Amino acid sequence: MTWFENVDKIKFEGPKSNNPLAFKFYNPEEKINGKTMEEFLRFGVAYWHTFTEDLSDPFGVGTAIRNWDKYDGMDRAKARVEAAFEFFEKIGAKYFCFHDVDIAPEGDSLRETYQNLDTIVDMIKNYKKDSDVKLLWNTANNFTNPRFVHGAASSSNADAFAYAAAKVKKQLEIGKELGGENYVFWGGREGYETLLNTDLKLEQDNLGRFFHMAVDYAKEIGFDAQFLIEPKPKEPTTHQYDFDAQSTHAFLLKYGLEDHFKLNIEANHATLAGHTFEHELRYARVNGILGSVDANQGDPLLGWDTDEFPADIYSTTLAMYEIIKNGGLGSGGLNFDAKVRRGSFEQNDLFHAHIAGMDHFAVGYKVASQLAEDQVFEKIIDDRYASFKEGIGKDIVEGKADFKSLEQHALNLGEVENKSGRLELIKATINQYLLNAYAGK
Ligand code: XUL
Ligand code: CO
């Protein structure tokens, strides 16, 4: 049985193609800097948005037409696994990601939930045998069920903490069984709504304790995946503890977790924090903690997490520049934590959306590679900070200056002479690279 009857394997047809079911820019075999696009980009499909999402919103019911929805419960979960592997194969994504509740329904007890998971994990294991698709990461959903109303590892209720720990323990075992390359902790409800009833210090200390327990258990069972924290500033709680890359880094350092975690940077979470996507990637990169990416985008006119498929090629270019400078994402990848719009309810929209996302990252990759090869930003930055390469600037950087030597320098200066930042020229240069990349093709 096939779940996507009228779709064949998606092929690269080039920028002139008007076939909606073909790649225009993502050519998996094309080599850039000695690596194929497929090897470098490591695209992942998010199980929740692609196979579980019904496209409901706070004002309306689900609209998604999915032919596995004719089933219910475990039958639907099994149908989704079949559909998922057919989808991975046809779209040509080599990775996927899931939360526990995406792949198997919760039972009436934790034990029954485990049994449901075991059945589906066995099935996934079998499908993986005949496929080269790998698990990029899995995670535990410790935020949807009412038991986590006050949080999970930062809950005011120790029983909720224990339940969350059990769910993560099970996911670490499943990650090991399925050969997961990373394991993700997104805060979910780890944060608070109001200080009026919150012990902020205890909650954060408990979160630190929880992460240490996870590190210890992974070690105990020999699960050597890269641990990732996914920062997000708000939603669902008003104040999420893993606010952004910089505050999460401070948290890791404070609790002695810095050797065990990297970050999973999501574009829409960056914008919710008042940052650009590339800011979050840059902060993580220069601090050695860029692990993986949730590839999506927000709507600049809305203040919540819209999780749209990436369409902004300016943003994918600057993001890919960071990833190139990072030497790639290591065990991480580009996971489409993105959903089709509520109005895009047909099943084939899942293909259109992933094709668009993959194409837009391919464009970004190509343009960013050229920018990196020509050292466009490196030259600008080298020139802009040249004053730190000699004289008093070199003394500052090398720790040889103090307030007395700096005062002496300033007294002899006359006035400070600055150079232009040339931002308009720089932006025009980026646009030139973007427009030239496919000119004449
Ligand atoms: C929520 C979000 C999650 C994480 C995994 O905003 O991004 O889907 O990626 O829990
Ligand atoms: Co995400």
Side-chain angles (χ1 to χ4, degrees):
M1 143 125 216
T2 77
W3 297 91
F4 300 93
E5 266 169 20
N6 46 8
V7 184
D8 295 325
K9 188 162 170 55
I10 307 298
K11 296 200 186 77
F12 170 70
E13 291 187 4
K16 292 264 159 69
S17 166
N18 53 20
N19 175 2
L21 290 171
F23 294 118
K24 322 297 182 303
F25 303 102
Y26 174 61
N27 180 358
E29 283 148 30
E30 184 178 335
K31 282 198 170 171
I32 298 181
N33 292 327
K35 274 200 173 163
T36 64
M37 282 201 186
E38 183 178 282
E39 281 172 305
F40 195 79
L41 293 168
R42 296 169 63 91
F43 287 127
V45 175
Y47 211 94
W48 54 104
H49 284 312
T50 304
F51 307 108
T52 316
E53 174 68 54
D54 69 356
L55 302 181
S56 54
D57 71 14
F59 304 96
V61 297
T63 57
I65 301 168
R66 306 287 182 250
N67 57 25
W68 45 89
D69 281 344
K70 59 179 174 252
Y71 299 109
D72 225 339
M74 282 298 281
D75 289 338
R76 177 158 65 171
K78 289 175 189 169
R80 281 178 175 143
V81 176
E82 285 183 19
F85 275 85
E86 185 183 333
F87 186 83
F88 304 151
E89 182 58 39
K90 287 186 168 169
I91 195 72
K94 297 290 176 222
Y95 296 89
F96 68 109
C97 306
F98 63 79
H99 303 80
D100 44 6
V101 302
D102 305 331
I103 60 166
E106 286 196 271
D108 290 334
S109 65
L110 185 56
R111 273 192 189 83
E112 198 183 315
T113 299
Y114 284 176
Q115 281 163 14
N116 291 349
L117 280 166
D118 290 342
T119 304
I120 299 297
V121 167
D122 273 352
M123 196 175 162
I124 292 178
K125 237 174 135 176
N126 271 329
Y127 270 85
K128 275 178 86 268
K129 274 188 209 146
D130 305 318
S131 144
D132 54 0
V133 172
K134 300 191 190 99
L135 179 61
L136 186 63
W137 51 261
N138 60 320
T139 185
N141 174 326
N142 286 345
F143 44 90
T144 299
N145 191 289
R147 75 178 69 92
F148 299 119
V149 62
H150 299 308
S154 67
S155 174
S156 47
N157 182 344
D159 286 344
F161 184 103
Y163 209 105
K167 289 189 74 203
V168 171
K169 176 177 177 288
K170 181 71 178 168
Q171 282 312 299
L172 294 173
E173 290 158 10
I174 288 174
K176 180 175 166 152
E177 200 166 341
L178 294 178
E181 300 194 12
N182 308 271
Y183 185 85
V184 161
F185 295 86
W186 165 59
R189 289 179 197 277
E190 312 297 25
Y192 68 92
E193 201 177 346
T194 167
L195 281 178
L196 300 176
N197 61 9
T198 298
D199 185 340
L200 184 136
K201 179 157 191 327
L202 178 68
E203 291 201 359
Q204 291 207 331
D205 287 350
N206 278 350
L207 201 50
R209 291 183 182 106
F210 192 92
F211 286 135
H212 273 291
M213 290 183 209
V215 168
D216 291 347
Y217 188 66
K219 198 168 166 203
E220 192 180 323
I221 63 171
F223 179 39
D224 57 6
Q226 175 64 53
F227 274 14
L228 301 168
I229 293 186
E230 182 178 322
K232 183 177 184 181
K234 54 188 167 192
E235 203 196 354
T237 75
T238 318
H239 307 270
Q240 295 278 125
Y241 288 136
D242 307 318
F243 188 94
D244 62 0
Q246 195 165 345
S247 55
T248 305
H249 190 210
F251 176 90
L252 292 175
L253 293 170
K254 178 178 176 196
Y255 290 97
L257 290 158
E258 68 275 17
D259 294 339
H260 305 288
F261 286 81
K262 287 187 175 177
L263 303 185
N264 183 35
I265 299 294
E266 176 164 326
N268 204 164
H269 296 179
T271 50
L272 289 180
H275 299 308
T276 58
F277 186 17
E278 59 272 19
H279 165 89
E280 289 292 85
L281 293 168
R282 175 75 60 94
Y283 181 86
R285 166 168 82 79
V286 300
N287 286 288
I289 50 171
L290 175 54
S292 199
V293 168
D294 268 9
N296 62 12
Q297 68 178 39
D299 184 326
L301 301 180
L302 300 175
W304 62 90
D305 198 13
T306 58
D307 282 345
E308 296 174 24
F309 274 85
D312 179 348
I313 53 178
Y314 199 88
S315 168
T316 59
T317 298
L318 296 182
M320 282 312 301
Y321 172 79
E322 298 304 328
I323 293 169
I324 291 167
K325 297 299 278 187
N326 197 55
L329 288 169
S331 64
L334 293 169
N335 164 50
F336 289 112
D337 190 354
K339 63 180 173 211
V340 290
R341 298 303 84 195
R342 187 163 182 266
S344 308
F345 45 77
E346 290 175 3
Q347 203 166 272
N348 275 4
D349 288 317
L350 296 173
F351 279 100
H352 303 148
H354 282 84
I355 290 169
M358 290 159 90
D359 268 344
H360 297 144
F361 264 92
V363 171
Y365 182 30
K366 198 154 188 174
V367 176
S369 303
Q370 197 58 57
L371 284 162
E373 194 184 318
D374 297 349
Q375 305 240 305
V376 173
F377 301 128
E378 289 76 359
K379 284 179 190 156
I380 291 166
I381 286 170
D382 256 20
D383 182 50
R384 189 152 184 254
Y385 294 86
S387 66
F388 285 94
K389 293 218 181 75
E390 57 189 16
I392 194 73
K394 197 162 178 241
D395 286 353
I396 294 172
V397 170
E398 290 177 355
K400 291 181 186 153
D402 59 18
F403 267 18
K404 280 183 281 178
S405 66
L406 291 166
E407 181 188 51
Q408 203 48 49
H409 183 82
L411 286 170
N412 292 332
L413 266 180
E415 199 35 271
V416 173
E417 278 174 39
N418 276 307
K419 287 187 210 164
S420 167
R422 294 184 174 165
L423 189 54
E424 299 76 9
L425 175 63
I426 296 168
K427 287 188 175 175
T429 307
I430 300 173
N431 284 342
Q432 216 179 338
Y433 272 79
L434 264 161
L435 293 168
N436 284 345
Y438 292 92
K441 300 228 166 156

